[in-house]
């Protein structure tokens, strides 16, 4: 440093940081011997914080604004320096500018598949990736816990740790959500929120704030995806016999197309083979189909059950019943009815005496006479 520079330093002192990058988190203001003149101008722009550090200890923190440095607006540093009286002599301090802007599109993803248990498919290996945004929430905590005295601290210096947290906590959240494997792709927003709530405390421990977390894709191993594709094809096709005939018809068409302009005999042979194959395949599926009419004879209707006649009788001037023949026999034995009692059943035009109905008259004819005496 020349004599002119030293003289200019004695009279002009401006401390500021114009950030032209998009990945610098902390930048240390470079000064010869870290000397700062009392009364120097400090400019802190929006999305910045200036942190003054003395002998390894954080002193004063300045938010956005224009400051003239003196013992009044640096109370902590004044106390550390034991400045009982104001003075204008230069002092030594480290000045760190901390960017509080939002750092966008930070990538995360699984380096290796992670095994989770699905309720429908059992253990499955998953891969996932996405992006997240973060910002500095507590500059003092971040400096003391993470960046320390590093003069230039970039997003690349911490992204590895943040990605590990995102993957570890994120896959735990996916497993704990119990969302079906087939429904994961339609629930990215819900999964992103679960992961955000899960890893936010880990970011806060470092003085960071997780402003957004996005899941862009959750994928399966290729062999599992192929199995799912086959399963979807089976569900769409439905009738295997019709599908097999369709495939055979395609084979015939291709065979005919390949033979145009060539040997017509070979073309006819190809068509014949394709037709035979289609017939055989169709027969296979037809034979495997079970026809209810051919597998079992039609059920035989049971013989009709004869209707048991029901009788009504006149007792005390009222119609009582219906009674079965057994009940009438018991009533005759108890002398509740006699041969002269009026009786009616379905099909009779009018009431008639019991003795006029053959089946009822037999009840009285087969009764023993009264015991003598």
């Amino acid at each position: 440093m020349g004599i002119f520079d030293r003289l200019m330093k004695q009279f002009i002192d401006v401390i500021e940081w114009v950030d032209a990058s998009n990945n610098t988190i902390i930048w240390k203001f470079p000064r010869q011997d870290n000397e700062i003149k009392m009364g120097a101008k400090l400019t802190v722009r929006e999305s910045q914080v200036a942190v003054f550090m003395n002998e390894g200890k954080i002193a004063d923190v300045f938010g956005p604004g224009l400051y003239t440095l003196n013992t009044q607006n640096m109370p902590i540093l004044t106390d550390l320096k034991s400045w009982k009286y104001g003075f204008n002599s230069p002092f030594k301090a480290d000045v760190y500018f901390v960017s509080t802007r939002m750092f966008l599109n930070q990538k995360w993803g699984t380096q290796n598949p992670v095994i989770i248990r699905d309720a429908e498919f059992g253990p499955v290996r998953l891969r996932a990736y996405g992006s997240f945004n973060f910002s500095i929430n507590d500059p003092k905590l971040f400096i003391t816990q993470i960046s320390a005295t590093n003069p230039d601290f970039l997003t690349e210096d911490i992204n590895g740790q943040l990605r590990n947290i995102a993957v570890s906590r994120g896959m735990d959240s996916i497993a704990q959500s119990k969302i079906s494997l087939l429904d994961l792709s339609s629930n990215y927003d819900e999964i992103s929120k679960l992961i955000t709530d899960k890893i936010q405390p880990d970011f806060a421990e470092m003085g960071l704030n997780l402003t957004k977390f996005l899941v862009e894709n959750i994928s399966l191993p290729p062999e599992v995806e192929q199995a799912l594709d086959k399963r979807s094809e089976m569900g769409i096709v439905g009738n295997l016999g019709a599908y097999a005939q369709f495939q055979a018809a395609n084979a015939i068409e291709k065979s005919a197309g390949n033979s145009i302009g060539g040997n017509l005999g070979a073309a006819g042979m190809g068509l014949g083979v394709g037709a035979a194959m289609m017939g055989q395949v169709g027969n296979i599926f037809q034979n495997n189909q079970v026809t209810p009419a051919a597998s079992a004879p039609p059920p035989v209707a049971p013989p009709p059950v004869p209707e048991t006649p029901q009788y009504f009788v006149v007792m005390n001037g009222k119609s009582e019943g219906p009674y079965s023949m057994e009940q009438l026999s018991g009533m005759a034995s108890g002398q509740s009815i006699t041969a002269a009692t009026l009786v009616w059943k379905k099909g009779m035009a009018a009431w008639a005496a019991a003795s006029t109905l053959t089946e009822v008259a037999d009840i009285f004819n087969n009764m023993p006479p009264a015991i003598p005496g």
Side-chain angles (χ1 to χ4, degrees):
M1 178 180 294
I3 297 176
F4 181 77
D5 293 335
R6 291 181 181 272
L7 291 175
M8 290 300 295
K9 175 186 173 184
Q10 190 69 23
F11 295 100
I12 300 175
D13 203 349
V14 177
I15 303 173
E16 63 179 354
W17 176 37
V18 179
D19 184 12
S21 69
N22 59 359
N23 64 339
T24 303
I25 301 177
I26 293 179
W27 178 77
K28 181 181 179 182
F29 184 74
R31 293 305 303 267
Q32 181 70 25
D33 298 328
N34 296 330
E35 287 188 355
I36 300 174
K37 186 177 65 175
M38 195 62 77
K41 299 296 183 180
L42 171 66
T43 302
V44 182
R45 292 172 170 79
E46 291 291 344
S47 73
Q48 292 180 356
V49 172
V51 178
F52 279 64
M53 185 177 296
N54 175 250
E55 297 180 356
K57 295 181 180 180
I58 292 179
D60 298 287
V61 179
F62 295 86
L66 177 62
Y67 304 89
T68 300
L69 301 180
N70 52 53
T71 56
Q72 294 180 356
N73 58 20
M74 294 188 297
I76 300 177
L77 188 60
T78 299
D79 184 66
L80 292 175
K81 289 289 188 178
S82 299
W83 292 328
K84 297 180 181 180
Y85 307 100
F87 64 96
N88 295 321
S89 299
F91 62 92
K92 290 186 178 182
D94 296 320
V95 182
Y96 291 89
F97 282 90
V98 181
S99 176
T100 58
R101 61 182 288 268
M102 190 181 301
F103 295 95
L104 307 176
N105 200 29
Q106 308 301 306
K107 301 298 184 180
W108 69 273
T110 55
Q111 295 182 354
N112 299 304
V114 178
I115 298 178
I116 67 169
R117 183 178 298 277
D118 183 73
E120 183 175 357
F121 298 97
V124 180
R125 292 182 292 120
L126 294 182
R127 288 182 179 271
Y129 65 84
S131 62
F132 63 92
N133 306 335
F134 74 92
S135 61
I136 300 295
N137 186 48
D138 189 337
K140 294 175 64 175
L141 179 61
F142 186 82
I143 290 177
T144 56
Q145 297 293 330
I146 306 300
S147 66
T149 58
N150 194 329
D152 293 292
F153 196 87
L154 310 178
T155 55
E156 289 78 4
D157 298 324
I158 195 173
N159 265 350
Q161 177 64 17
L162 299 183
R163 281 196 298 266
N164 292 339
I165 294 175
V167 171
S168 177
R169 301 287 191 266
M171 300 310 290
D172 283 348
S173 300
I174 294 175
Q176 294 173 6
S177 68
K178 303 298 183 183
I179 297 176
S180 173
L181 184 66
L182 300 179
D183 297 329
L184 287 177
S185 59
S186 60
N187 288 275
Y188 282 171
D189 288 343
E190 180 181 350
I191 295 172
S192 297
K193 186 179 184 305
L194 292 174
I195 298 176
T196 300
D197 296 339
K198 185 80 171 180
I199 66 180
Q200 186 70 266
D202 294 285
F203 277 56
E205 290 179 356
M206 297 180 288
L208 302 177
N209 180 35
L210 179 63
T211 57
K212 187 177 289 294
F213 189 94
L214 297 177
V215 176
E216 298 179 19
N217 181 266
I218 299 177
S219 61
L220 299 169
E223 58 272 14
V224 178
E225 292 181 350
Q226 292 175 4
L228 287 177
D229 291 341
K230 290 295 183 182
R231 178 175 175 176
S232 300
E233 290 177 2
M234 296 296 292
I236 294 174
V237 169
N239 189 334
L240 292 179
Y243 178 71
Q245 293 178 358
F246 174 74
Q247 292 290 82
N250 286 338
I252 295 174
E253 182 179 356
K254 291 181 179 179
S255 176
N258 293 334
S259 300
I260 293 176
N263 191 341
L264 295 179
M269 182 180 298
L271 290 173
V273 172
M277 181 177 64
M278 183 173 65
Q280 292 177 359
V281 173
N283 291 334
I284 291 174
F285 286 99
Q286 289 178 358
N287 293 335
N288 289 335
Q289 296 177 355
V290 178
T291 304
S295 60
V300 179
V305 179
E307 183 178 358
T308 303
Q310 300 289 319
Y311 298 88
F312 293 84
V313 298
V314 176
M315 299 179 64
N316 299 325
K318 297 181 180 181
S319 174
E320 303 288 347
Y323 299 107
S324 65
M325 186 62 70
E326 289 78 7
Q327 291 174 317
L328 291 180
S329 178
M331 296 168 67
S333 299
Q335 298 183 353
S336 297
I337 62 174
T338 64
T341 300
L342 295 177
V343 179
W344 180 88
K345 70 175 181 178
K346 182 178 179 180
M348 293 176 58
W351 294 87
S355 59
T356 62
L357 300 178
T358 304
E359 66 274 17
V360 180
D362 290 341
I363 296 176
F364 300 99
N365 296 333
N366 294 331
M367 291 180 60
I371 299 175

